[in-house]
Amino acid sequence: MSLESINIESLLKSYSVTGFSMALIENGELKKDEQYGLLKAGKCERVDRNSLFNACSISKVCAAILVLKLAEDGVLHIDEDVNKYLVSWKLPQTTMQKVTLRHLLSHQSGISDPDGSFAEWQPYGKIPLMAELLSGQTVYCARPIEISYEAGSDFRYSDAGYCVIQQIVEDATGRSFEDLAIELVFQPLDMNSSMFFQHPPKAMTRNIASGHDQQGQVIQGDYPIYPYPASSGLWTTPSDLAKLVIEMIHALRGDSKIGLSAESISDMIKSQGNTSWAGLGVFLEGTGDQVEVSSLGWGAGFQSMLVAYPQKGTALIMMTNTDSGIHQLKGMMGKIYYSLADFLQAEENK
């Protein structure tokens, strides 16, 4: 089925989604990007290609790319003990196996997120330092982060693990995670609508989509801010995320814009540790040339979905400003994904 045969306006109504934006990649290039619905319920402004959505956990894909870039540059090594790089805070030592960036990127580090942690920022308080958060000194993570199981022995999805990654990047370089992402990833890929912010730039305010709940009501504060950029702080557009995916596709072909090797991306999209489904910053289905790479974002007022077949040069990125309350595959995005499955999985697309 083609995109033209999908009635997206009808899906918006059926699933009570306020605004929707998507990008489609074919042969390693942007084929189409489309937008539907409203930036904010009850207002007239419509979603367009410049509208910013909270990527939530798709931020982890960007974090993984940045780490791989720093590894290519010799700043980091993904199989080194992370305490070699950590200065502002140290991962508590145990008698168990050393923890590496590979473990952290694939959610197999031995870290378990404390209950009730990593909620959106409360605007009446200051943005915490990452070292404070990891030490259990904030309302966003009330317990210190520590190792609770042998690294590499199990998979446990962890926002805390990506907070540790952010601290490693900052301690190893002496620079902020946000600035490095801009310099090493966003700028060279012309991802001009991608950013991390605690207070949005004034010039961008009119482009920010408001988040909505299951009933279609605008969430408190209009949109969430997550004070953990590497884990869930990215604001972007599907067409910008498409540029990141296209970089992965081209890097596999030996044509990276930012200096990523085919070996690095091949490592990113292969099974890690004791799981078949966990790559570095992404999730996997299938193997080899048939591998499907995915990442889902789900937070207060927003849901998103990225699915790519890097070896085939195809991908689909979708973002909404509505938390539908159901898994992406069971809602509007799932309908579109399954409708385009033949296109995404085709051996050749012309």
Side-chain angles (χ1 to χ4, degrees):
M1 183 181 290
S2 68
L3 182 59
E4 289 74 17
S5 63
I6 303 171
N7 189 333
I8 292 180
E9 291 285 5
S10 177
L11 290 175
L12 285 176
K13 293 178 182 177
S14 296
Y15 289 96
S16 301
V17 171
T18 303
F20 174 81
S21 185
M22 67 174 291
L24 197 61
I25 295 171
E26 181 179 29
N27 294 329
E29 303 297 339
L30 182 64
K31 174 183 174 65
K32 184 171 290 189
D33 66 292
E34 296 188 353
Q35 299 80 36
Y36 301 84
L38 300 174
L39 277 177
K40 183 175 184 178
K43 301 294 183 180
C44 299
E45 291 79 9
R46 297 190 62 82
V47 175
D48 61 29
R49 72 187 322 269
N50 297 313
S51 299
L52 297 174
F53 293 78
N54 183 204
C56 307
S57 282
I58 293 180
S59 307
K60 295 177 174 69
V61 180
C62 177
I65 291 291
L66 178 58
V67 167
L68 292 176
K69 167 60 178 168
L70 291 170
E72 294 275 8
D73 292 346
V75 178
L76 300 172
H77 192 298
I78 68 169
D79 293 310
E80 181 64 71
D81 186 334
V82 298
N83 274 334
K84 173 183 174 181
Y85 302 110
L86 288 165
V87 177
S88 304
W89 170 89
K90 293 283 188 180
L91 191 60
Q93 297 283 355
T94 72
T95 58
M96 293 186 277
Q97 178 180 336
K98 69 178 182 180
V99 176
T100 68
L101 277 162
R102 186 181 300 277
H103 292 135
L104 291 165
L105 288 165
S106 60
H107 302 279
Q108 298 175 67
S109 64
I111 294 173
S112 300
D113 290 357
D115 291 342
S117 58
F118 303 106
E120 54 270 22
W121 176 53
Q122 304 299 321
Y124 51 79
K126 74 179 183 70
I127 297 289
L129 296 175
M130 191 55 64
E132 293 174 338
L133 186 147
L134 294 169
S135 300
Q137 299 175 22
T138 76
V139 297
Y140 306 101
C141 186
R143 286 172 43 203
I145 297 304
E146 57 189 11
I147 300 300
S148 60
Y149 65 94
E150 185 84 27
S153 68
D154 195 10
F155 172 93
R156 297 185 192 176
Y157 189 86
S158 177
D159 286 315
Y162 274 74
C163 291
V164 176
I165 290 171
Q166 179 176 330
Q167 191 66 67
I168 291 168
V169 167
E170 295 183 341
D171 282 349
T173 63
R175 299 181 59 192
S176 75
F177 177 89
E178 298 93 324
D179 285 349
L180 285 166
I182 292 168
E183 179 183 322
L184 300 179
V185 181
F186 297 164
Q187 287 182 344
L189 295 180
D190 294 322
M191 294 173 63
N192 300 317
S193 294
S194 297
M195 63 195 72
F196 302 95
F197 59 73
Q198 288 141 13
H199 302 288
K202 201 166 188 180
M204 303 300 293
T205 303
R206 63 184 179 85
N207 293 329
I208 298 173
S210 296
H212 300 78
D213 62 22
Q214 292 173 248
Q215 288 72 45
Q217 300 298 309
V218 178
I219 64 170
Q220 185 176 3
D222 273 7
Y223 48 82
I225 299 294
Y226 294 100
Y228 344 96
S231 172
S232 50
L234 178 63
W235 286 83
T236 187
T237 67
S239 56
D240 256 24
L241 285 177
K243 294 174 182 177
L244 193 66
V245 175
I246 289 168
E247 167 64 11
M248 294 167 61
I249 293 169
H250 287 188
L252 281 173
R253 300 172 180 174
D255 190 25
S256 169
K257 284 186 176 181
I258 66 173
L260 292 174
S261 65
E263 291 76 18
S264 284
I265 299 301
S266 294
D267 198 15
M268 181 182 185
I269 63 173
K270 77 176 183 182
S271 298
Q272 302 291 324
N274 68 345
T275 69
S276 61
W277 64 86
L280 302 177
V282 295
F283 295 98
L284 312 172
E285 182 72 31
T287 58
D289 290 350
Q290 308 300 317
V291 69
E292 178 190 88
V293 175
S294 66
S295 179
L296 301 178
W298 191 345
F302 291 86
Q303 283 186 307
S304 52
M305 182 174 179
L306 181 158
V307 179
Y309 286 81
Q311 303 286 6
K312 301 176 186 295
T314 60
L316 171 66
I317 301 107
M318 298 177 284
M319 308 187 83
T320 73
N321 60 350
T322 303
D323 174 5
S324 65
I326 57 175
H327 191 280
Q328 286 90 328
L329 288 176
K330 295 182 179 179
M332 174 181 176
M333 286 183 275
K335 286 281 189 182
I336 297 170
Y337 164 71
Y338 290 123
S339 296
L340 294 175
D342 289 343
F343 164 83
L344 292 168
Q345 298 171 23
E347 290 300 328
E348 293 185 11
N349 294 285
K350 298 181 179 179

